[in-house]
């Protein structure tokens, strides 16, 4: 995609696995990528999708660094054991997903780590896709100190009573009134979770509470249209989505 | 994942993942995102042994039609075996873990 860097410009990046304090002070691992230099750079908490803390999310974390962010992607499945991202993700899938409270604690820890770094500016956003999109919205409503929320096709922001579980006891849409940052939402009109009707409900609730939001809905795209490693990938919609995403962060985080 | 439709059943059996067989103690059945089947959602079955960690897993991802046909076929095969008097069953209880070194 189009990028602000010029061909004669120096560019460097460091990316590595680190340890961080998550929910309840637990040590978990995280992947951090940042541009070389003293910054200050805006921060981005990158929430991996339900299939796991996988290669796409490492690349996504580096993509944010490439675009001038200090990006951190916490391993939200750290406590579920170790193995290939797919095997661990399948275990969490069978358990009905990661508990919301634990996820929020881990995201808060990632935000705190970013804020402690001397090369991070005071502006920090949160990005997530799939279940991570839902969790990004949840973080924007439940955590302090986030300046922008990017929710990509967050399924189950709208939940029926039957879908509520002890680990996910409240539908995130119920927290809309507490959203403390502008939100960008990207959705595919052929998605089954969230359906266009659920996105309508999500948008109506944001409007009702006067929250600054920007939703883009794409025809010809379903769930996960950024994922170039899956059949869901839609090149045209994905590239436009990234363009809108970085325009949004230019306004909210720089 | 995005549907979170998942159930677990305790089972008794053995599965093969790579060159080795291992005891499978649980089957995790979900209708959610598959990893490899090019569909948004699929009927996923993971035959696992939780005591052995996340890597002890034999996975299949099925289309809805394939899953329904599989269920019918399993029932039909069991019914035929029952009719012919060759069903051999044992309760779903933990069995001793097979030690590959002792084989």
């Amino acid at each position: 995609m189009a990028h602000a860097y010029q061909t004669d410009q120096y560019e460097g990046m460091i990316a590595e696995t680190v340890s961080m304090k998550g929910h309840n002070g637990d040590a978990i691992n995280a992947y951090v990528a940042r541009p070389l230099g003293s910054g200050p750079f805006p921060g981005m908490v990158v929430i991996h999708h339900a299939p796991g803390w996988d290669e796409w999310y490492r690349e996504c974390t580096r993509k944010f660094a490439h675009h001038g962010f200090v990006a951190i992607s916490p391993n939200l499945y750290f406590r579920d054991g170790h193995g290939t991202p797919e095997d661990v993700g399948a275990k969490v899938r069978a358990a009905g997903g990661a508990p919301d409270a634990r996820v929020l604690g881990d995201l808060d820890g990632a935000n705190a780590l970013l804020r402690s770094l001397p090369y991070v500016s005071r502006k920090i956003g949160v990005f997530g896709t799939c279940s991570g999109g839902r969790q990004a919205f949840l973080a924007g409503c439940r955590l302090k100190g986030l300046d922008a929320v990017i929710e990509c096709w967050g399924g189950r922001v709208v939940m029926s009573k039957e879908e509520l579980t002890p680990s996910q006891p409240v539908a995130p849409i119920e927290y809309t009134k507490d959203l403390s940052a502008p939100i960008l939402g990207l959705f595919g009109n052929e998605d089954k979770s969230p359906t266009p009707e659920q996105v309508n409900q999500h948008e109506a609730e944001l409007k009702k509470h006067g929250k600054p939001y920007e939703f883009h809905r794409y025809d010809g795209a379903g769930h996960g249209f950024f994922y170039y490693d899956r059949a869901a990938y839609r090149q045209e919609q994905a590239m436009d989505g990234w363009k809108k995403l970085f325009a949004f962060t230019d306004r909210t985080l720089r | 994942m995005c549907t979170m439709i998942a159930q677990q059943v305790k089972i008794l059996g053995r599965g093969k993942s790579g060159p080795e067989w291992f005891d499978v103690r649980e089957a995790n059945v979900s209708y959610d995102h598959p990893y490899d089947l090019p569909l948004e959602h699929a009927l996923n079955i993971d035959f696992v042994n939780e005591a052995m960690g996340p890597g002890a897993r034999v996975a299949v991802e099925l289309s809805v039609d394939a899953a329904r046909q599989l269920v019918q076929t399993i029932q039909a095969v069991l019914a035929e075996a029952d009719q012919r008097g060759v069903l051999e069953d044992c309760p779903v209880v933990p069995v001793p873990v097979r030690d590959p070194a002792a084989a």
Side-chain angles (χ1 to χ4, degrees):
Chain A
M1 68 179 294
H3 189 265
Y5 284 117
Q6 301 295 306
T7 53
D8 59 353
Q9 183 180 339
Y10 168 76
E11 184 181 0
M13 178 193 299
I14 186 166
E16 61 180 343
T17 308
V18 303
S19 183
M20 57 161 272
K21 281 188 181 176
H23 184 59
N24 281 339
D26 297 345
I28 66 169
N29 55 7
Y31 187 69
V32 174
R34 64 177 172 91
L36 294 182
S38 58
F41 306 105
M44 186 63 72
V45 178
V46 182
I47 311 176
H48 66 77
H49 55 177
W53 195 51
D54 59 11
E55 182 167 332
W56 193 90
Y57 258 86
R58 275 165 179 64
E59 293 182 355
C60 182
T61 306
R62 291 195 295 271
K63 186 178 183 75
F64 276 107
H66 181 69
H67 285 264
F69 294 85
V70 178
I72 181 169
S73 177
N75 176 9
L76 302 177
Y77 298 168
F78 182 86
R79 301 164 187 81
D80 298 293
H82 296 289
T84 67
E86 195 176 295
D87 285 341
V88 178
K91 182 180 177 184
V92 177
R93 177 176 67 189
D100 285 344
R102 194 184 81 185
V103 169
L104 287 172
D106 289 349
L107 299 178
D108 205 28
N111 190 7
L113 176 61
L114 288 177
R115 290 190 179 279
S116 74
L117 299 172
Y119 41 80
V120 175
S121 74
R122 303 308 300 166
K123 297 282 191 179
I124 292 175
V126 60
F127 163 92
T129 65
C130 183
S131 63
R134 174 182 179 277
Q135 290 155 349
F137 175 69
L138 205 49
C141 297
R142 306 299 291 164
L143 301 181
K144 305 290 182 197
L146 291 169
D147 302 289
V149 174
I150 301 158
E151 177 197 333
C152 298
W153 50 94
R156 300 168 71 251
V157 167
V158 178
M159 298 169 74
S160 65
K161 282 183 183 173
E162 293 72 31
E163 290 179 273
L164 301 177
T165 64
S167 64
Q168 292 156 7
V170 179
I173 194 170
E174 301 296 329
Y175 293 123
T176 303
K177 66 181 187 318
D178 301 321
L179 181 66
S180 59
I183 181 169
L184 172 75
L186 302 178
F187 305 95
N189 286 332
E190 295 172 8
D191 202 332
K192 295 182 183 68
S193 180
T195 62
E197 172 54 31
Q198 289 171 330
V199 178
N200 288 344
Q201 291 176 47
H202 192 4
E203 182 171 10
E205 198 69 6
L206 289 164
K207 266 187 193 169
K208 177 180 154 188
H209 292 286
K211 302 296 179 183
Y213 77 95
E214 181 183 327
F215 275 14
H216 300 281
R217 308 174 185 215
Y218 293 94
D219 288 330
H223 194 82
F225 58 94
F226 276 24
Y227 304 148
Y228 49 78
D229 56 345
R230 288 173 177 258
Y233 184 57
R234 295 292 179 273
Q235 184 266 339
E236 188 179 356
Q237 294 88 338
M239 297 310 285
D240 188 72
W242 280 113
K243 188 176 166 184
K244 291 201 162 52
L245 187 159
F246 287 121
F248 175 74
T249 57
D250 280 348
R251 289 197 304 278
T252 53
L253 298 177
R254 302 217 187 251
Chain B
M1 298 218 179
C2 280
T3 67
M4 303 294 174
I5 301 171
Q7 294 188 24
Q8 183 181 81
V9 59
K10 295 288 182 187
I11 58 169
L12 172 64
R14 289 210 160 97
K16 193 174 184 186
S17 175
E20 300 296 334
W21 288 84
F22 65 98
D23 294 304
V24 288
R25 300 286 175 78
E26 299 90 12
N28 295 324
V29 183
S30 65
Y31 184 73
D32 213 322
H33 299 320
Y35 282 95
D36 203 58
L37 191 69
L39 294 174
E40 190 175 313
H41 298 103
L43 192 288
N44 310 296
I45 308 173
D46 292 320
F47 298 97
V48 302
N49 185 326
E50 291 185 341
M52 293 171 67
R57 171 176 172 249
V58 178
V60 290
E61 301 177 339
L62 303 169
S63 68
V64 169
D65 188 47
R68 291 191 199 284
Q69 289 193 44
L70 177 63
V71 169
Q72 288 175 5
T73 304
I74 290 172
Q75 294 287 15
V77 168
L78 289 173
E80 183 180 341
D82 192 19
Q83 193 175 25
R84 288 167 53 181
V86 295
L87 272 188
E88 180 185 344
D89 204 5
C90 60
V92 179
V93 294
V95 294
V97 175
R98 185 161 58 181
D99 181 3

